[in-house]
Amino acid sequence: MLNTEIVDFICSHYLSKGSELEPATLSESGRGFEIDIFRAGSRTRRRIGKITGGHADNVLSHENRVPEVLERLFHSPRVRKSERDLLRDTRDASLCNGGLAEGWIMRIDRYESDGKTVARTEYVMGYALYIHLERKRRRAQEREKQTIATWHARLGTVLEERNKVPDGLSGKENRHLLWNFIEDMAAKLEHCSVYKEVFEVIWNKEQPWQGRKLEYYVDFIIALAEIAAARAHFDWKEIGARYYREIGGSKRFDPYKVDFLEAAEEQIGCPLPLLGLCSGGTVTPIYFAGELSGRGGFAYPQGFLHAVTDVTVWKTEFRTGCHTMWLTENRAVLTRMSAEPDFLLNSGSLIIGLDGQLRSGHRKLIKDVLTGSKSIGQVIVWCDGDKSGLDIARNVQALLQPAHPAGVKWILPPAVDQKGDDPRSCLFRTWEAYEAAALAGLDRNQADEQEAEMGDTDIWNMWMDL
């Protein structure tokens, strides 16, 4: 007699409408079984297949012996494998017979209309494997729930401890950005019970990190907050060592170092050296051309290519006497334009290179210039015509919107333009028109880089004057 749970499992996943198992045809041998599938019509009832599998009486007692390859291949009841495919994927013929006997997989023979000739054979998930995977899933969910609770508790402790931070901690003026991010993160975690929910609310990118990397990133953020609340200065290795308190903990975040530092900087809103990271952190140069001065005696003259670190940008406020601020995605455009010192001097241009990504240092510098420079009459944004260029332009648009600069112009590389070679057609005076043109170019698979046609002083002056 077949276990009721096995019958229900077969009926739910492998029998089509109008089909049923025929109990009278059940044949058992040891833990194995065979049973026919019949289809009943209005007047006839005929055999259409046979299922071969194993009893699940002792399924839970041997679930730890389920071969990993079968777990991977038959991860869902919807998976169907031919015998040829199964042998190719497992490279072990004994797994077929062994898997059938243990109830990990089942074989379904589909008959021709005569009810005898086998038309095709397929292997599917067995009830024993189904129960095994369900138990693993429930254990994983429970582990995720407990881990999220631990995350939330540790964040709560950090937020309590932040008020005890000694007055002498470096970067204290910037730590409010970290605490604001931690408060927001803790509030979101309170309503999460599985990792998927955590990742959706904390990491809202189009292509999020998967699996352990994203789990480690949450660990990293909490570890960073904990050490920032306790230490004036700290090394990269201390972050993991202090958090995990085990051999190898200091190396746990190493495989993701660059990604984690960049993501944390973006989400918190300032470079990590300003929070106390004194070794192993990244110091990002910001390249620009044009006149720029900063509180504390910083002065960069017009007509030259300059670089300033993001740490410096965060420690002072900058302003300019220039009339036009150019924001270019690629450094090549910046170096090309700065090679024309007369253009820089005569046009009163400040050109900031974004180096393919709008980082927190770029944001701070652009905000400083717009806030502290009454001379700025227009902003010209020049990015590639591909999807990444459009994403950067969108981030710039979101940054400029609250600042309300006098005028903003957008330049699209000519390959996505359908109006001919006239460089005036590359310039758009509204964000809506620029975005529509960029999307149309992407739809036509027409996207070009800035470097493909960087123009000359005549074209640059024309764009400023339009």
Side-chain angles (χ1 to χ4, degrees):
M1 184 71 179
L2 271 183
N3 186 302
T4 303
E5 285 80 6
I6 296 180
V7 173
D8 291 342
F9 173 74
I10 293 173
C11 293
S12 297
H13 296 287
Y14 305 122
L15 297 189
S16 58
K17 186 177 181 180
S19 302
E20 59 187 19
L21 298 178
E22 177 51 67
T25 65
L26 176 64
S27 173
E28 299 175 282
S29 176
R31 291 220 308 269
F33 72 85
E34 292 182 351
I35 188 169
D36 288 341
I37 306 171
F38 276 74
R39 174 170 290 161
S42 57
R43 296 184 178 180
T44 61
R45 191 168 182 274
R46 62 186 182 88
R47 187 170 69 159
I48 62 170
K50 178 177 69 176
I51 292 183
T52 304
H55 281 290
D57 301 285
N58 300 315
V59 59
L60 300 184
S61 66
H62 62 270
E63 68 169 70
N64 290 332
R65 295 190 287 111
V66 178
E68 186 275 334
V69 65
L70 293 183
E71 287 190 36
R72 176 171 51 82
L73 292 176
F74 297 97
H75 55 84
S76 164
R78 293 189 294 272
V79 174
R80 304 287 198 274
K81 293 281 183 182
S82 68
E83 186 166 4
R84 180 180 178 181
D85 289 342
L86 183 58
L87 290 174
R88 181 197 63 203
D89 294 338
T90 62
R91 299 181 181 180
D92 185 355
S94 65
L95 273 181
C96 293
N97 293 330
L100 288 171
E102 297 289 356
W104 298 329
I105 59 176
M106 296 188 298
R107 184 178 68 238
I108 304 178
D109 296 315
R110 304 290 184 181
Y111 293 142
E112 300 281 7
S113 58
D114 61 6
K116 297 178 181 179
T117 306
V118 176
R120 72 178 188 277
T121 297
E122 56 189 14
Y123 288 82
V124 297
M125 174 188 285
Y127 184 64
L129 180 56
Y130 174 78
I131 290 297
H132 170 68
L133 294 179
E134 281 296 297
R135 285 189 126 202
K136 286 187 67 174
R137 183 183 60 80
R138 287 194 293 269
R139 286 195 295 266
Q141 285 182 339
E142 185 58 32
R143 184 182 73 85
E144 289 182 8
K145 187 175 181 180
Q146 292 175 355
T147 300
I148 293 170
T150 301
W151 283 340
H152 189 262
R154 294 187 77 154
L155 286 175
T157 302
V158 170
L159 292 174
E160 291 176 1
E161 292 293 325
R162 65 178 166 170
N163 296 323
K164 303 176 184 178
V165 174
D167 291 338
L169 281 189
S170 68
K172 190 172 182 180
E173 66 275 12
N174 297 305
R175 293 187 180 224
H176 72 279
L177 297 171
L178 173 62
W179 305 138
N180 289 344
F181 176 61
I182 294 301
E183 284 180 347
D184 181 64
M185 184 174 175
K188 291 174 178 176
L189 281 179
E190 189 175 7
H191 303 287
C192 298
S193 59
V194 295
Y195 283 174
K196 183 179 180 181
E197 296 171 350
V198 174
F199 303 154
E200 286 176 352
V201 299
I202 290 179
W203 192 260
N204 56 359
K205 291 185 176 293
E206 289 185 16
Q207 296 180 334
W209 295 332
Q210 301 294 326
R212 292 293 288 171
K213 182 177 182 180
L214 206 45
E215 184 177 346
Y216 277 140
Y217 179 65
V218 179
D219 280 345
F220 172 72
I221 290 297
I222 299 172
L224 175 65
E226 287 180 347
I227 200 168
R231 304 273 183 86
H233 304 283
F234 50 90
D235 181 84
W236 165 261
K237 294 290 187 181
E238 287 183 275
I239 301 174
R242 192 175 186 276
Y243 183 80
Y244 290 109
R245 304 283 184 179
E246 62 184 35
I247 299 298
S250 64
K251 302 176 182 177
R252 192 72 65 86
F253 301 131
D254 285 357
Y256 318 112
K257 181 177 180 179
V258 174
D259 289 343
F260 282 9
L261 289 173
E262 289 183 357
E265 174 188 314
E266 177 184 343
Q267 293 193 299
I268 295 170
C270 76
L272 299 194
L274 295 181
L275 301 177
L277 182 60
C278 58
S279 174
T282 57
V283 177
T284 304
I286 299 174
Y287 298 97
F288 67 95
E291 182 270 324
L292 197 65
S293 59
R295 178 173 51 82
F298 293 98
Y300 300 91
Q302 180 61 283
F304 300 93
L305 180 63
H306 306 285
V308 61
T309 67
D310 57 347
V311 175
T312 301
V313 168
W314 277 92
K315 288 186 175 181
T316 188
E317 286 90 37
F318 283 91
R319 60 187 179 277
T320 184
C322 294
H323 307 296
T324 299
M325 179 165 65
W326 297 74
L327 303 177
T328 73
E329 177 183 348
N330 298 315
R331 195 185 305 175
V333 175
L334 168 63
T335 56
R336 171 67 183 88
M337 297 178 80
S338 61
E340 303 282 355
D342 290 340
F343 166 75
L344 296 175
L345 289 166
N346 296 332
S347 67
S349 289
L350 171 66
I351 309 164
I352 299 176
L354 303 181
D355 267 353
Q357 184 177 350
L358 188 65
R359 301 177 184 273
S360 62
H362 297 115
R363 295 175 184 272
K364 172 68 164 52
L365 179 59
I366 294 168
K367 286 181 180 179
D368 281 358
V369 171
L370 291 177
T371 302
S373 309
K374 295 181 180 180
S375 60
I376 292 293
Q378 65 178 336
V379 179
I380 301 178
V381 184
W382 189 359
C383 297
D384 288 342
D386 60 5
K387 185 178 184 302
S388 295
L390 180 56
D391 289 339
I392 294 172
R394 282 174 174 153
N395 290 332
V396 172
Q397 159 68 2
L399 177 66
L400 296 179
Q401 215 166 15
H404 300 294
V408 181
K409 298 174 183 177
W410 306 85
I411 298 173
L412 200 60
V416 296
D417 167 59
Q418 289 187 319
K419 300 178 183 178
D421 296 327
D422 186 353
R424 288 176 294 186
S425 64
C426 299
L427 185 136
F428 297 84
R429 299 186 63 86
T430 67
W431 164 254
E432 292 75 16
Y434 170 83
E435 184 181 39
L439 289 172
L442 291 175
D443 288 341
R444 297 191 302 268
N445 290 322
Q446 291 179 321
D448 208 349
E449 297 177 317
Q450 294 175 275
E451 295 91 338
E453 185 57 60
M454 288 190 280
D456 52 28
T457 56
D458 291 338
I459 293 177
W460 304 333
N461 282 313
M462 179 189 64
W463 282 340
M464 287 191 294
D465 294 338
L466 284 175

